[in-house]
């Protein structure tokens, strides 16, 4: 399902490289006791993450976005505590969050269900559960998407927030979208975000 416009341009390269994956390298900010680099130096390097694909049409064999998230997380050294493909329904979304918490996940990555279609209910369901919302994730994601796919990026309602000690990200269902969100926003801050949750 072409929820957010990203499906129109899946063959485009991101051009972002992987320099984002190494937040400790090459920063010469000595003497800044409250710098972002110092915060990250105390962050866990390995986070237990649960991946969820919300879709009424995909099955596991065709879930390219779910595979991209799992392989990207594992390549960055994080642990996959679970993976599930669920219908885009509030009950299923709430149940899989409980499953993720039971599996010891510190982060949950949802893909799919963030458009404006009648069946797109992921964002509403998660917002009703969030203890704290992180609107910056969706704001920056849409800005980055706009550079890739143009004005259709405004159709995405990607968001993030906290729930029962976990950080939860909801992003579009296309492979291009999940790779952008994972590589440029989620991986660079995942350990830091989990550490902040435990403060």
């Amino acid at each position: 399902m072409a929820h957010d416009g990203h499906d129109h341009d899946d063959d485009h390269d991101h051009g972002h490289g992987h320099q984002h994956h190494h937040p400790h390298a090459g920063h010469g900010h000595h003497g800044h006791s409250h710098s972002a680099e110092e915060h990250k130096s105390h962050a866990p390097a390995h986070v237990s993450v649960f991946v969820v694909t919300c879709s009424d049409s995909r099955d596991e064999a065709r879930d390219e976005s779910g595979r991209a998230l799992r392989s990207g997380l594992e390549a960055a050294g994080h642990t996959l505590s679970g993976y599930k493909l669920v219908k885009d329904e509030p009950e299923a979304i709430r149940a899989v969050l409980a499953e993720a918490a039971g599996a010891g996940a510190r982060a949950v990555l949802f893909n799919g269900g963030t458009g404006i279609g009648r069946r797109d209910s992921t964002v509403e369901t998660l917002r009703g559960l969030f203890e704290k919302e992180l609107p910056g994730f969706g704001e920056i994601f849409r800005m980055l998407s706009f550079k890739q796919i143009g004005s259709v990026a405004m159709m995405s309602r990607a968001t993030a927030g906290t729930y029962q000690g976990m950080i939860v990200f909801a992003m579009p269902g296309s492979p291009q979208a999940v790779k952008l969100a994972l590589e440029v926003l989620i991986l660079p801050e995942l350990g830091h975000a989990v550490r902040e949750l435990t403060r």
Side-chain angles (χ1 to χ4, degrees), residues 17-53:
H18 294 276
Q19 71 272 25
H20 306 280
H21 293 229
H22 306 285
H24 310 297
H27 290 287
H29 298 290
H30 301 294
H32 295 284
S33 59
H34 298 291
S35 69
E37 288 76 23
E38 178 169 305
H39 276 297
K40 288 181 183 176
S41 72
H42 298 292
H46 308 292
V47 174
S48 180
V49 187
F50 200 103
V51 171
V52 183
T53 295

Side-chain angles (χ1 to χ4, degrees), residues 10-171:
D10 283 349
D11 58 339
H12 283 207
D13 183 40
H14 301 293
H16 291 286
H18 294 276
Q19 71 272 25
H20 306 280
H21 293 229
H22 306 285
H24 310 297
H27 290 287
H29 298 290
H30 301 294
H32 295 284
S33 59
H34 298 291
S35 69
E37 288 76 23
E38 178 169 305
H39 276 297
K40 288 181 183 176
S41 72
H42 298 292
H46 308 292
V47 174
S48 180
V49 187
F50 200 103
V51 171
V52 183
T53 295
C54 288
S55 177
D56 296 333
S57 58
R58 278 180 280 172
D59 56 25
E60 288 192 21
R62 292 185 296 164
D63 184 18
E64 188 181 340
S65 296
R67 279 195 301 276
L69 286 172
R70 287 179 287 163
S71 63
L73 287 162
E74 289 176 337
H78 298 295
T79 304
L80 192 71
S81 60
Y83 160 71
K84 196 153 194 178
L85 196 150
V86 301
K87 296 288 186 186
D88 193 357
E89 296 169 351
E91 300 77 15
I93 292 165
R94 285 192 289 264
V96 80
L97 272 176
E99 184 177 335
R106 302 308 314 279
V108 187
L109 271 53
F110 282 85
N111 77 93
T114 61
I116 60 170
R118 185 177 54 85
R119 292 280 299 162
D120 290 328
S121 60
T122 305
V123 173
E124 281 70 33
T125 304
L126 292 176
R127 278 199 176 129
L129 298 170
F130 283 161
E131 291 144 11
K132 292 182 172 68
E133 190 167 1
L134 290 173
F137 171 73
E139 290 164 357
I140 299 171
F141 173 78
R142 282 180 285 276
M143 180 191 74
L144 295 169
S145 297
F146 176 72
K147 293 177 180 177
Q148 287 191 349
I149 62 174
S151 57
V152 73
M154 74 178 183
M155 304 292 278
S156 170
R157 298 183 305 123
T159 190
T162 64
Y163 176 70
Q164 294 189 354
M166 301 182 293
I167 181 109
V168 181
F169 296 93
M171 65 200 91

